Amino acid sequence: MKVAVTSKGKEPGSEVDPRFGRCRYFAIIDTDTGGFEAVENEGALAAGGAGPQASQTLSRTGARGVISGSVGPKAFEALKAAGIEIITGGAGTVEEVVKKYMKGELKPVTSHSVDSHSGMGGRRG
Amino acid sequence: MKITVASGKGGTGKTTIAVNLALSVEDAMLIDCDVEGPNSHIFFKEPMVKLKDVSIPTPRFDLDICTYCGKCSDFCQYNAISVVQDKLLFFEELCHGCGGCRIICPVNAISEEEHIIGTIEKGGEEELPLYHGRLNIGEPFGVPIIRELKGLAGERPITIFDSPPGTACPAVETMRDVDFCILVTEPTPFGLHDLKLSVDVIREIGTPFGVIVNRDGIGDDRVESYCERENIPLLARIPNDLEIARLYSEGIPMVKGIPRYGEMFRELFERIRGLVR
């Protein structure tokens, strides 16, 4: 199964990006084969609706789960519609959180963890 | 002739200048485009009366016809539509009402419904009609109301627009397609900082413009040196006059309380007329 991690870089050792909609990359990991791929989040700088756009990008990668720091309400709704499991509170490197996830140490959440525009660094558009 | 009164910084005196300028020239009308907080009407006794609602088209999706191809979602610049696998999500608060999704849909699954975002009201006085708009609470996007307001110009030969503050879409909408734009500032570091932002924007738009320094006497002369350096006409200086503030606090425009200011605004108008020619 494929699982995505919001990432600041393109490597397995890159740090987890705590923002969902405005993360730099999605690290896509195939938990069966160990395959790794980094997909750029084109919506990172969107004026609005970065969360839903990122959810759509993610849905097209075939990922069945996503690990991030926090997820806003619109992204949560879109990810839920796409049937993608959401895990928040991810921190450390991509490799580390995937290991934790595979050991079953990270549990999916059932509601969004932050309000709209939380990833905008105080500039609330 | 259409003149917009704008400023980067809030609270510099846009409304004061727009109202007093409009009152000082004959055959003028005043349109307050600050739909998030209109306040020109506080200088007039008559209450504002509702003229009409303003609405934007909002898409409705027929999911029996939709093939979830995602073309509407790809088209939407504001990410208001998400198509994930066989589900479609619409985030109404992100929709700007452009209607593009309906046009782009290859199977005609999208129709439109009007969604009311605010109102237009009329007031003022016999010599000076005033129009303003009000964006409903919770609505994120006031530009469609500003567009409607701007379309009301023409009832009188001279239209003065009172712009929302700042340099974002609502201010840009008010500053474009007019003959002249007055940028109001105060002679302080904050005033100068935000004036520079406005100048960058108005130069991009291409509207001829000049600067009015309000509350002249506070602060320093850096706004003046900046205007000189940039070849920006300094149209007028309004002194930091306690009498203006006292009249303001009673809702009386300065030109009605102090006749010499009426003369000043008429001179300002003639100066602008000269610059527009």
Side-chain angles (χ1 to χ4, degrees):
Chain A
M1 153 181 155
K2 278 185 179 174
V3 62
V5 181
T6 57
S7 169
K8 288 183 177 174
K10 294 193 253 187
E11 311 298 327
S14 301
E15 203 183 330
V16 173
D17 196 324
R19 303 162 305 173
F20 175 71
R22 295 182 186 280
C23 69
R24 288 289 305 279
Y25 299 97
F26 289 111
I28 314 290
I29 293 101
D30 190 322
T31 55
D32 303 322
T33 65
F36 180 94
E37 184 196 359
V39 177
E40 195 171 343
N41 178 18
E42 285 170 3
L45 297 175
Q53 196 185 348
S55 308
Q56 205 164 264
T57 305
L58 208 53
S59 150
R60 286 173 188 168
T61 66
R64 305 308 309 147
V66 61
I67 306 168
S68 187
S70 47
V71 172
K74 293 194 199 78
F76 183 83
E77 205 184 316
L79 287 169
K80 215 171 98 184
I84 298 174
E85 212 173 65
I86 304 154
I87 291 154
T88 57
T93 67
V94 171
E95 252 169 350
E96 285 165 9
V97 294
V98 171
K99 269 185 199 150
K100 279 188 192 167
Y101 174 73
M102 288 172 72
K103 280 189 209 158
E105 288 172 21
L106 301 174
K107 296 281 172 241
V109 294
T110 51
S111 78
H112 61 91
S113 59
V114 288
D115 284 335
S116 287
H117 303 159
S118 288
M120 293 180 71
R123 287 181 308 117
R124 308 213 159 187
Chain B
M1 179 153 80
K2 296 176 188 173
I3 302 171
T4 289
V5 183
S7 78
K9 186 180 173 302
T12 53
K14 278 181 301 298
T15 299
T16 300
I17 284 159
V19 169
N20 285 285
L21 176 61
L23 283 168
S24 304
V25 295
E26 274 176 36
D27 284 334
M29 64 190 288
L30 178 60
I31 300 182
D32 187 345
C33 292
D34 189 357
V35 299
E36 291 177 54
N39 60 359
S40 294
H41 63 281
I42 62 174
F43 290 105
F44 300 91
K45 291 194 183 72
E46 291 301 311
M48 300 298 287
V49 177
K50 181 173 162 180
L51 204 65
K52 61 190 286 199
D53 285 323
V54 179
S55 59
I56 57 169
T58 303
R60 289 289 169 260
F61 303 86
D62 187 335
L63 298 180
D64 293 332
I65 304 174
C66 179
T67 60
Y68 302 94
C69 70
K71 286 196 173 126
C72 54
S73 168
D74 291 341
F75 178 82
C76 183
Q77 295 298 296
Y78 302 101
N79 298 319
I81 310 168
S82 278
V83 178
V84 283
Q85 285 156 14
D86 60 347
K87 291 198 181 69
L88 183 145
L89 299 172
F90 175 57
F91 298 98
E92 188 159 337
E93 67 271 35
L94 297 176
C95 175
H96 282 49
C98 74
C101 54
R102 182 182 58 81
I103 297 168
I104 217 90
C105 178
V107 294
N108 294 321
I110 302 175
S111 57
E112 277 166 0
E113 218 170 65
E114 289 298 315
H115 168 66
I116 294 170
I117 59 165
T119 52
I120 287 178
E121 298 174 334
K122 187 183 179 181
E125 49 193 46
E126 206 182 318
E127 300 76 37
L128 181 66
L130 164 68
Y131 293 89
H132 76 193
R134 280 191 187 279
L135 181 65
N136 289 347
I137 290 170
E139 290 296 337
F141 189 60
V143 169
I145 303 178
I146 298 173
R147 284 200 195 113
E148 288 250 9
L149 281 168
K150 287 190 82 181
L152 296 169
E155 186 181 319
R156 298 280 172 100
I158 298 160
T159 309
I160 310 293
F161 297 102
D162 186 4
S163 170
T167 51
C169 297
V172 170
E173 188 62 36
T174 314
M175 293 191 281
R176 63 193 278 195
D177 298 327
V178 294
D179 299 297
F180 196 83
C181 185
I182 298 170
L183 296 179
V184 186
T185 189
E186 54 179 40
T188 64
F190 299 113
L192 176 60
H193 176 270
D194 291 357
L195 173 65
K196 286 178 180 168
L197 298 178
S198 298
V199 167
D200 283 350
V201 170
I202 195 95
R203 280 186 170 149
E204 191 71 32
I205 298 170
T207 304
F209 69 100
V211 165
I212 290 183
V213 173
N214 193 15
R215 293 194 202 99
D216 189 32
I218 64 168
D220 55 36
D221 59 4
R222 278 185 279 177
V223 166
E224 209 175 317
S225 344
Y226 166 77
C227 290
E228 231 167 74
R229 224 168 37 241
E230 293 285 327
N231 283 319
I232 299 167
L234 188 61
L235 304 166
R237 289 194 189 90
I238 299 172
N240 187 38
D241 182 346
L242 190 64
E243 190 60 14
I244 297 175
R246 198 186 61 75
L247 289 165
Y248 184 103
S249 72
E250 290 169 20
I252 303 168
M254 66 173 101
V255 296
K256 287 192 177 173
I258 315 169
R260 71 170 186 279
Y261 285 123
E263 198 47 49
M264 190 196 80
F265 277 101
R266 277 187 289 279
E267 276 170 26
L268 167 70
F269 180 72
E270 287 311 318
R271 176 111 194 258
I272 291 171
R273 191 133 75 170
L275 287 168
V276 168
R277 268 200 200 119

